């Protein structure tokens, strides 16, 4: 065989092996393509493609386009998607452990949120593994504040207000405050605000900017109630099916994405509030009475969560406070 032929045969063989091993994964995500969570994940999947030598190609489907937010966890569990991102606290009705990041006033800074994430990791991994999933990384949203269509000085001002909830904790805040909660994914929030289905919600400045909240609402109170997290997780069978090299590459890049995501969120947080103000909203700390009312709700909800999450919840809080 001539040199050229040998070289050609060798490269065809390499191609064949690559093709046989190449994995194409779908990654449903619920938030907009230009949100920093999605952009961070795009850097992650690009790096994974690179370090796997093209063997692991992950395609992001942003904005709930492949699966809606509330379908993503199940889709990954049953293998309809191999990997996905979800606000896991939205599944706290199924297991209170998923709501570890939405306990009011437990962790209210980026630093505390990362510490709580580490404290929850063993328990969350155990719970996810039992559902055939493996958590890869999680990234915080900025601290949660309250959006209203009027000035609010105490809960007396919000009785009966229609409130958008994104998980059990936000629905409970509304109930305890005397508001009327409706569960609405971020992808449907703008429509709900525009049509008056809701006129208030709790979220970060990030989502307020994504939704151009100033077009529908007037006040943001920076309550710093908690920092919920989006978690990226993978179907455990899909993970086991990877080559050792691809699996290592995925896990290494996940660790980088987690650190990068926290840093990015912290860097952007202040600017989001500036944008709300630039849009015309009043951005303020909650006044004395509203702050006291929220603390009282927080204390009730902390007791309720500890009660419902049992030993798993206790393990998370103990590890966090250590
Ligand atoms: N934005 C997401 C969850 C928390 C946040 O800041 C949302 O409102 O859906």
């Amino acid at each position: 065989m001539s040199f050229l032929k040998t070289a050609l045969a060798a490269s065809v063989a390499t191609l064949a092996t690559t093709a046989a091993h190449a994995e194409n994964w779908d990654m449903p995500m619920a938030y907009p393509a230009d949100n920093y969570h999605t952009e961070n994940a795009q850097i992650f999947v690009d790096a994974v493609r690179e370090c796997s030598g093209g063997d692991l190609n992950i395609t992001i489907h942003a904005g709930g386009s492949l699966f809606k937010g509330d379908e993503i966890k199940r889709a990954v569990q049953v293998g309809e998607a191999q990997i996905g991102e979800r606000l896991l606290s939205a599944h706290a009705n199924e297991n209170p452990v998923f709501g570890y990041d939405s306990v009011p006033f437990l962790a209210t800074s980026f630093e505390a949120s990362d510490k709580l994430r580490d404290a929850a990791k063993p328990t969350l991994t155990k719970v996810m593994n039992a559902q055939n999933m493996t958590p890869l990384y999680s990234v915080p949203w900025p601290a949660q504040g309250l959006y209203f269509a009027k000035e609010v000085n105490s809960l007396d001002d919000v009785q009966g207000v229609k409130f958008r909830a994104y998980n059990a904790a936000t629905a409970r805040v509304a109930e305890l405050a005397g508001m009327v909660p409706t569960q609405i994914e971020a992808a449907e929030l703008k429509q709900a605000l525009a049509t008056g289905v809701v006129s208030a919600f709790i979220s970060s400045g990030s989502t307020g900017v994504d939704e151009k909240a100033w077009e529908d609402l007037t006040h943001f109170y920076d309550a710093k109630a908690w920092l919920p997290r989006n978690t990226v997780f993978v179907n455990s069978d899909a993970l086991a099916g990877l080559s050792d090299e691809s699996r290592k590459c995925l896990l290494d890049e996940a660790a980088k994405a987690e650190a990068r995501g926290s840093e990015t969120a912290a860097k952007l947080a202040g600017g989001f509030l500036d944008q709300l103000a630039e849009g015309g909203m009043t951005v303020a700390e909650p006044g004395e009475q509203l702050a006291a009312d929220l603390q009282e709700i927080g204390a009730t909800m902390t007791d309720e969560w500890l009660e419902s999450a049992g030993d798993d919840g206790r393990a998370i809080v103990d590890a966090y406070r250590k």
Side-chain angles (χ1 to χ4, degrees), residues 31 36-37 87 141-144 164 166 184-187 189 201-208 226 228-230:
Y31 293 95
Y36 70 90
H37 285 280
L87 185 85
W141 290 94
Q144 304 293 285
R164 175 260 178 167
Y166 61 71
I184 296 170
E185 291 293 322
L189 177 53
F201 63 100
I202 184 169
S203 194
S204 59
S206 173
T207 292
W226 62 77
R229 305 183 71 95
N230 280 0

Side-chain angles (χ1 to χ4, degrees), residues 96-159:
V97 162
F98 291 132
Y100 80 93
D101 59 0
S102 304
V103 180
F105 307 116
L106 178 61
T108 59
S109 68
F110 286 102
E111 210 188 348
S113 171
D114 282 357
K115 192 171 173 220
L116 181 59
R117 167 204 69 202
D118 290 343
K121 201 165 263 178
T123 309
L124 193 65
T125 302
K126 178 188 78 176
V127 170
M128 295 286 290
N129 284 349
Q131 300 190 333
N132 198 37
M133 289 179 282
T134 306
L136 288 183
Y137 70 84
S138 79
V139 171
W141 290 94
Q144 304 293 285
L146 289 156
Y147 290 83
F148 290 111
K150 60 180 175 186
E151 183 180 323
V152 171
N153 295 308
S154 78
L155 295 185
D156 291 342
D157 299 333
V158 304
Q159 297 310 299

